Short mmCIF file of all heavy atoms in Angstrom, two decimals:
data_model
loop_
_atom_site.label_atom_id
_atom_site.label_comp_id
_atom_site.label_asym_id
_atom_site.label_seq_id
_atom_site.Cartn_x
_atom_site.Cartn_y
_atom_site.Cartn_z
N HIS A 12 119.90 115.40 131.44
CA HIS A 12 119.60 114.19 132.26
C HIS A 12 118.08 114.00 132.30
O HIS A 12 117.30 114.89 131.64
CB HIS A 12 120.13 114.36 133.62
CG HIS A 12 119.76 115.70 134.25
ND1 HIS A 12 120.60 116.77 134.17
CD2 HIS A 12 118.71 116.11 134.82
CE1 HIS A 12 120.07 117.82 134.62
NE2 HIS A 12 118.86 117.56 135.07
N HIS A 13 117.63 112.94 132.82
CA HIS A 13 116.26 112.78 133.21
C HIS A 13 116.03 113.21 134.56
O HIS A 13 117.07 113.63 135.33
CB HIS A 13 115.78 111.35 133.12
CG HIS A 13 116.16 110.72 131.71
ND1 HIS A 13 115.50 111.02 130.62
CD2 HIS A 13 117.17 109.78 131.47
CE1 HIS A 13 116.18 110.33 129.60
NE2 HIS A 13 117.20 109.59 130.07
N TRP A 14 114.86 113.23 135.22
CA TRP A 14 114.64 113.56 136.54
C TRP A 14 113.60 112.59 137.19
O TRP A 14 112.51 112.51 136.59
CB TRP A 14 114.01 115.05 136.55
CG TRP A 14 113.86 115.59 137.94
CD1 TRP A 14 112.71 115.42 138.78
CD2 TRP A 14 114.74 116.34 138.75
NE1 TRP A 14 112.87 116.02 139.88
CE2 TRP A 14 114.14 116.63 140.00
CE3 TRP A 14 116.08 116.80 138.56
CZ2 TRP A 14 114.69 117.38 141.00
CZ3 TRP A 14 116.62 117.55 139.59
CH2 TRP A 14 116.05 117.81 140.80
N ALA A 15 114.02 111.93 138.17
CA ALA A 15 113.04 110.98 138.80
C ALA A 15 113.46 110.85 140.33
O ALA A 15 114.54 111.04 140.64
CB ALA A 15 113.24 109.54 138.14
N ASN A 16 112.38 110.76 141.12
CA ASN A 16 112.59 110.61 142.57
C ASN A 16 113.34 111.82 143.12
O ASN A 16 114.23 111.72 144.01
CB ASN A 16 113.47 109.39 142.93
CG ASN A 16 112.53 108.12 143.07
OD1 ASN A 16 111.40 108.36 143.69
ND2 ASN A 16 113.03 106.99 142.83
N GLY A 17 113.01 112.99 142.63
CA GLY A 17 113.59 114.24 143.05
C GLY A 17 115.02 114.43 142.80
O GLY A 17 115.74 115.29 143.40
N GLN A 18 115.56 113.63 141.83
CA GLN A 18 116.99 113.87 141.52
C GLN A 18 117.31 113.71 139.99
O GLN A 18 116.52 113.03 139.36
CB GLN A 18 117.90 113.01 142.33
CG GLN A 18 117.62 111.67 142.31
CD GLN A 18 118.29 110.73 143.41
OE1 GLN A 18 119.27 111.31 143.93
NE2 GLN A 18 117.83 109.54 143.66
N LYS A 19 118.48 114.13 139.65
CA LYS A 19 118.96 113.97 138.24
C LYS A 19 119.29 112.49 138.02
O LYS A 19 119.76 111.83 138.88
CB LYS A 19 120.17 114.71 137.92
CG LYS A 19 120.07 116.24 138.16
CD LYS A 19 121.43 116.86 137.93
CE LYS A 19 121.29 118.42 138.11
NZ LYS A 19 122.51 119.15 137.88
N VAL A 20 118.92 112.04 136.84
CA VAL A 20 119.21 110.62 136.50
C VAL A 20 119.96 110.69 135.14
O VAL A 20 119.36 111.19 134.11
CB VAL A 20 117.94 109.82 136.31
CG1 VAL A 20 118.29 108.35 135.83
CG2 VAL A 20 117.18 109.68 137.66
N ASP A 21 121.16 110.24 135.06
CA ASP A 21 121.89 110.28 133.75
C ASP A 21 121.41 109.33 132.78
O ASP A 21 120.81 108.21 133.06
CB ASP A 21 123.40 109.88 134.06
CG ASP A 21 124.09 111.04 134.88
OD1 ASP A 21 123.55 112.17 134.73
OD2 ASP A 21 125.05 110.73 135.47
N GLY A 22 121.42 109.69 131.62
CA GLY A 22 121.08 108.74 130.37
C GLY A 22 122.01 107.65 130.32
O GLY A 22 123.19 107.69 130.51
N LYS A 23 121.46 106.53 130.02
CA LYS A 23 122.20 105.22 129.84
C LYS A 23 122.00 104.65 128.49
O LYS A 23 122.72 103.65 128.12
CB LYS A 23 121.75 104.28 130.88
CG LYS A 23 122.05 104.58 132.39
CD LYS A 23 121.66 103.55 133.34
CE LYS A 23 120.15 103.55 133.41
NZ LYS A 23 119.62 103.13 134.77
N SER A 24 121.09 105.19 127.61
CA SER A 24 120.86 104.56 126.34
C SER A 24 122.01 104.69 125.34
O SER A 24 122.05 103.90 124.37
CB SER A 24 119.68 104.94 125.73
OG SER A 24 119.84 106.25 125.29
N GLY A 25 122.90 105.62 125.55
CA GLY A 25 123.87 105.94 124.59
C GLY A 25 123.35 106.71 123.40
O GLY A 25 124.09 107.13 122.51
N ARG A 26 122.09 107.06 123.36
CA ARG A 26 121.42 107.92 122.30
C ARG A 26 121.31 109.31 122.91
O ARG A 26 120.82 109.53 123.93
CB ARG A 26 120.13 107.39 121.89
CG ARG A 26 120.20 105.90 121.22
CD ARG A 26 118.90 105.70 120.61
NE ARG A 26 117.82 105.78 121.44
CZ ARG A 26 116.61 106.40 121.21
NH1 ARG A 26 116.47 107.10 120.07
NH2 ARG A 26 115.57 106.41 122.06
N PHE A 27 121.66 110.33 121.99
CA PHE A 27 121.65 111.61 122.39
C PHE A 27 121.04 112.51 121.24
O PHE A 27 121.19 112.06 120.07
CB PHE A 27 123.06 112.19 122.71
CG PHE A 27 123.62 111.69 124.04
CD1 PHE A 27 124.21 110.52 124.02
CD2 PHE A 27 123.32 112.32 125.30
CE1 PHE A 27 124.89 109.90 125.18
CE2 PHE A 27 123.77 111.75 126.39
CZ PHE A 27 124.50 110.51 126.44
N SER A 28 120.53 113.67 121.48
CA SER A 28 120.10 114.65 120.51
C SER A 28 120.66 115.96 120.89
O SER A 28 120.74 116.31 122.06
CB SER A 28 118.64 114.62 120.33
OG SER A 28 118.04 115.70 120.55
N ASP A 29 121.05 116.78 119.93
CA ASP A 29 121.53 118.12 120.10
C ASP A 29 120.50 119.11 120.45
O ASP A 29 119.34 119.03 119.79
CB ASP A 29 122.23 118.66 118.98
CG ASP A 29 123.66 117.96 118.71
OD1 ASP A 29 124.18 117.36 119.65
OD2 ASP A 29 124.14 118.16 117.54
N VAL A 30 120.70 119.98 121.43
CA VAL A 30 119.82 121.25 121.68
C VAL A 30 120.55 122.36 121.17
O VAL A 30 121.71 122.53 121.53
CB VAL A 30 119.54 121.22 123.21
CG1 VAL A 30 118.60 122.44 123.42
CG2 VAL A 30 118.90 119.97 123.72
N THR A 31 119.88 123.16 120.41
CA THR A 31 120.62 124.32 119.82
C THR A 31 120.03 125.67 120.35
O THR A 31 118.79 125.77 120.71
CB THR A 31 120.53 124.33 118.31
OG1 THR A 31 119.05 124.16 117.87
CG2 THR A 31 121.34 123.30 117.69
N ASN A 32 120.77 126.68 120.20
CA ASN A 32 120.25 128.03 120.48
C ASN A 32 119.94 128.53 118.96
O ASN A 32 120.77 128.78 118.14
CB ASN A 32 121.28 128.94 121.08
CG ASN A 32 120.74 130.45 121.10
OD1 ASN A 32 119.93 130.75 120.44
ND2 ASN A 32 121.34 131.09 122.14
N PRO A 33 118.58 128.79 118.70
CA PRO A 33 118.17 128.97 117.35
C PRO A 33 118.69 130.34 116.78
O PRO A 33 118.78 130.53 115.62
CB PRO A 33 116.69 128.92 117.24
CG PRO A 33 116.21 128.31 118.65
CD PRO A 33 117.40 128.61 119.62
N ALA A 34 118.99 131.28 117.72
CA ALA A 34 119.42 132.54 117.30
C ALA A 34 120.93 132.61 116.87
O ALA A 34 121.27 133.48 116.06
CB ALA A 34 119.20 133.61 118.41
N THR A 35 121.69 131.63 117.28
CA THR A 35 123.03 131.65 116.93
C THR A 35 123.45 130.32 116.12
O THR A 35 124.45 130.31 115.52
CB THR A 35 123.98 131.61 118.16
OG1 THR A 35 123.69 130.43 118.93
CG2 THR A 35 123.61 132.80 119.00
N GLY A 36 122.55 129.39 116.22
CA GLY A 36 122.89 128.10 115.52
C GLY A 36 123.94 127.26 116.29
O GLY A 36 124.19 126.07 115.96
#
Side-chain angles (χ1 to χ4, degrees):
H12 46 268
H13 311 287
W14 182 272
N16 269 328
Q18 55 191 342
K19 296 178 182 178
V20 177
D21 289 336
K23 290 180 289 207
S24 71
R26 293 194 306 128
F27 290 88
S28 117
D29 285 345
V30 179
T31 48
N32 180 335
T35 62

